[in-house]
Amino acid sequence: MSKFQAPKGVSEYFPERSRHFEFVRETLIQSARVSGYELMELPVFEDTELFARGVGESTDVVSKEMYTFEDRGGRSITLRPEGTAGVMRSVIEHNLDRGQLPVKVWYSGQFFRAERPQAGRYRQFYQVGIEAIGLNDPEIDAEVIAVAVMAFEKLGLKDYHTEITSLGDAVTRERYTKDLREYISTLALDESTIARAELNPLRLFDDKRDEIRSMMEKAPVLMDYLTPESAAHFEEVKSTLDQFGITYQVNNRMVRGLDYYTGTAFEFVHHKLGAQSGIGGGGRYDGLMRQLGGSDLSGIGFGLGVDRILLACEAEGIEVPQENSLALFIVPMGESVKGFAVLKAHQLRAHGISVDVAYGDRALKGGMKAADKSGARFALVLGDDEIASGKGELKNMQTGDSVSVTLRTLHEELLKLI
RNA sequence: GUGGUCGUAGCUCAGCUGGUAGAGCAUCCGGUUGUGGUCCGGAAUGUCGCGGGUUCGAGCCCCGUCGAUCACCCCA
């Protein structure tokens, strides 16, 4: 047996890159926080039935990509392939839908889909998502989209675009799908494509082949089937986005992978990520809560792919600001002062000052090199002299200047400097 | 899930038509007594993804396998 390796298709983040990952995730979350969303911390596995009913049996996600297993009590458990169903379950279970509306929450964590991996498509991946439940003001739709766009702007992403559409209500969709199927039945298609259309006729809009594309050009468009109310709602969403200065493209042949979407739907597509170009998406879901046994409330939310957004930042050459750099790096001179240095570091940390120490038996030069690499703002050499005098030279690593400090009150002097 | 490409030191890669491995960066040490970033010198490091096979001999050829990756598919 050779060495262990990570399971197929999982992404891992470790220094230095983990800092970039963390920065991306925090930026996404921060955008939700400033818009009034609060944390929802949920399990990564749920009753299999929740996804089957919530996401839809006919979707690829449910029918062939779920990690499903039986627990020791014989229950069928599934690793969450998406976030919305779990949020709905929890909202219903804890009666949040009976309180003040809308319920606005964000979540962040791992999701699981057993697909064939490639860059940007992982079997365990990270999403940050938000949900606004209980009201169907078009302004909330615009807010949700804006939360994502604001985060992208904060990150400095430029090479992407936003697509929006309206999928209408259930009745509309039924009428439309019927006509679309009829249209498709007139086309000369191969077997596998017919099977695909059978499952979800909208899929053909997404086909990459030119001949299919041109065949679908004259297909009926859902937008033409919208009820006056749906159309008005969509107009209001668009005009609010316009007021926000958010640019978008209306894509009236957008296909979403989850069954529960109704009304407003949207996607964020990046241009430098190859085939896995969707960095996020979402939409409104009218019947979902009721479907899961809760009250008949509407909701809207998105899921953003943290892995892909990080990839997008890298593709655009975006520099991640150096966060959390150390305030102080202590270099002990020899064994005799090591204990003192470590204790001093411990005490300073208790004051909230970030400190690290040159561990190992490094010579002074090596210790200073370590101080440099650590990115600490100050370095302090501790030797027998310093312990004897109770004073030391605090070196500013950027300017190279030193100031004399009293070791006993070091925390006070440092707090003034940082 | 289908098809293609790739897999050599920590990282990025070189290795001509098969003769048992190299560079740059990173790491560590040093350039005379206690201060880093430049420069100079030196050192360490690989079961050439793994397992079979062909061959006198394989990193280079064949098969399998694992993983990554590209496209399809799907989607975050």
Side-chain angles (χ1 to χ4, degrees), chain A residues 60-74:
Chain A
D60 278 30
V61 169
V62 169
S63 64
K64 43 192 189 198
E65 295 172 1
M66 295 210 298
Y67 280 97
T68 298
F69 59 95
E70 201 169 274
D71 76 2
R72 293 182 179 226

Side-chain angles (χ1 to χ4, degrees), chain A residues 274-322:
Chain A
Q276 307 306 319
S277 57
I279 54 177
R284 186 164 278 285
Y285 38 86
D286 279 340
L288 181 59
M289 265 192 91
R290 191 200 185 98
Q291 172 81 10
L292 296 176
S295 34
D296 193 10
L297 296 179
S298 179
I300 181 166
F302 65 55
L304 303 179
V306 185
D307 311 86
R308 287 186 186 177
I309 294 170
L310 173 59
L311 253 19
C313 288
E314 289 167 347
E316 289 197 36
I318 290 168
E319 297 269 335
V320 171
Q322 164 93 32

Side-chain angles (χ1 to χ4, degrees), chain A residues 4 10 12 16 66 86 90 93 100 124 126-127 150 166 191 216 218 250 258 262 265 290 308 312 316 359-360:
Chain A
F4 286 115
V10 304
E12 297 187 285
E16 319 276 327
M66 295 210 298
S90 187
E93 184 171 343
Q100 196 185 54
Q124 171 178 286
Y126 294 82
Q127 268 186 216
M150 249 162 47
S166 175
E191 247 176 74
M216 292 302 286
K218 290 195 218 81
V250 174
L258 314 179
T262 56
R290 191 200 185 98
R308 287 186 186 177
E316 289 197 36
Y359 290 105

Side-chain angles (χ1 to χ4, degrees), chain A residues 141-154:
Chain A
D141 301 27
E143 173 183 291
V144 167
I145 293 169
V147 168
V149 171
M150 249 162 47
F152 297 151
E153 269 168 24
K154 199 98 183 183

Side-chain angles (χ1 to χ4, degrees), chain A residues 13 17-33 41 106-110 125-129 151 155 304-307 309-310 313 320:
Chain A
Y13 300 97
R17 198 160 175 253
S18 59
R19 220 173 52 217
H20 304 178
F21 175 84
E22 191 183 11
F23 176 72
V24 168
R25 184 176 56 190
E26 284 307 308
T27 304
L28 301 177
I29 291 172
Q30 192 51 27
S31 186
R33 285 204 189 98
E41 191 68 47
W106 63 268
Y107 58 83
S108 164
Q110 293 92 328
F125 57 98
Y126 294 82
Q127 268 186 216
V128 167
L155 287 168
L304 303 179
V306 185
D307 311 86
I309 294 170
L310 173 59
C313 288
V320 171

Side-chain angles (χ1 to χ4, degrees), chain A residues 12-273:
Chain A
E12 297 187 285
Y13 300 97
F14 42 86
E16 319 276 327
R17 198 160 175 253
S18 59
R19 220 173 52 217
H20 304 178
F21 175 84
E22 191 183 11
F23 176 72
V24 168
R25 184 176 56 190
E26 284 307 308
T27 304
L28 301 177
I29 291 172
Q30 192 51 27
S31 186
R33 285 204 189 98
V34 301
S35 307
Y37 292 77
E38 292 195 90
L39 174 64
M40 192 110 196
E41 191 68 47
L42 298 172
V44 295
F45 56 87
E46 297 269 3
D47 190 325
T48 301
E49 191 58 22
L50 174 68
F51 300 118
R53 261 209 276 165
V55 179
E57 304 263 19
S58 73
T59 62
D60 278 30
V61 169
V62 169
S63 64
K64 43 192 189 198
E65 295 172 1
M66 295 210 298
Y67 280 97
T68 298
F69 59 95
E70 201 169 274
D71 76 2
R72 293 182 179 226
R75 290 170 277 257
S76 181
I77 297 293
T78 293
L79 264 29
R80 36 136 88 150
E82 60 93 54
T84 304
V87 171
M88 289 309 118
R89 190 227 82 222
S90 187
V91 164
I92 296 166
E93 184 171 343
H94 300 107
N95 299 318
L96 303 184
D97 52 331
R98 301 196 191 178
Q100 196 185 54
L101 300 175
V103 175
K104 302 206 325 186
V105 293
W106 63 268
Y107 58 83
S108 164
Q110 293 92 328
F111 295 84
F112 307 85
R113 257 121 97 158
E115 295 182 90
R116 175 100 167 239
Q118 68 190 71
R121 182 163 80 180
Y122 306 109
R123 293 185 165 187
Q124 171 178 286
F125 57 98
Y126 294 82
Q127 268 186 216
V128 167
I130 68 173
E131 309 289 348
I133 305 152
L135 291 180
N136 53 8
D137 303 19
E139 288 75 16
I140 294 188
D141 301 27
E143 173 183 291
V144 167
I145 293 169
V147 168
V149 171
M150 249 162 47
F152 297 151
E153 269 168 24
K154 199 98 183 183
L155 287 168
L157 282 179
K158 293 201 162 44
D159 211 356
Y160 76 98
H161 71 269
T162 302
E163 297 184 1
I164 64 171
T165 191
S166 175
L167 301 174
D169 58 28
V171 181
T172 305
R173 206 140 52 138
E174 204 173 309
R175 275 199 307 142
Y176 168 67
T177 321
K178 183 164 165 285
D179 286 4
L180 182 60
R181 280 186 198 282
E182 246 164 61
Y183 174 81
I184 289 171
S185 71
T186 67
L187 303 174
L189 299 168
D190 62 275
E191 247 176 74
S192 72
T193 311
I194 292 172
R196 221 145 62 81
E198 207 74 43
L199 218 58
N200 181 354
L202 290 164
R203 289 273 171 78
L204 294 203
F205 284 124
D206 249 9
D207 203 296
K208 304 270 196 309
R209 290 167 296 184
D210 285 339
E211 64 269 28
I212 307 284
R213 290 187 154 221
S214 59
M215 278 194 247
M216 292 302 286
E217 226 138 79
K218 290 195 218 81
V221 169
L222 199 147
M223 204 67 76
D224 298 335
Y225 289 69
L226 294 184
T227 59
E229 301 80 61
S230 288
H233 182 103
F234 190 53
E235 285 308 312
E236 189 59 32
V237 173
K238 286 192 290 182
S239 73
T240 308
L241 288 174
D242 291 338
Q243 283 171 25
F244 288 176
I246 290 172
T247 57
Y248 54 84
Q249 299 168 14
V250 174
N251 175 0
N252 51 25
R253 38 190 65 190
M254 185 193 297
V255 188
R256 298 254 68 216
L258 314 179
D259 273 357
Y260 50 65
Y261 288 117
T262 56
T264 309
F266 53 91
E267 273 177 13
F268 307 104
V269 182
H270 198 267
H271 310 317
K272 290 185 170 166
L273 294 184

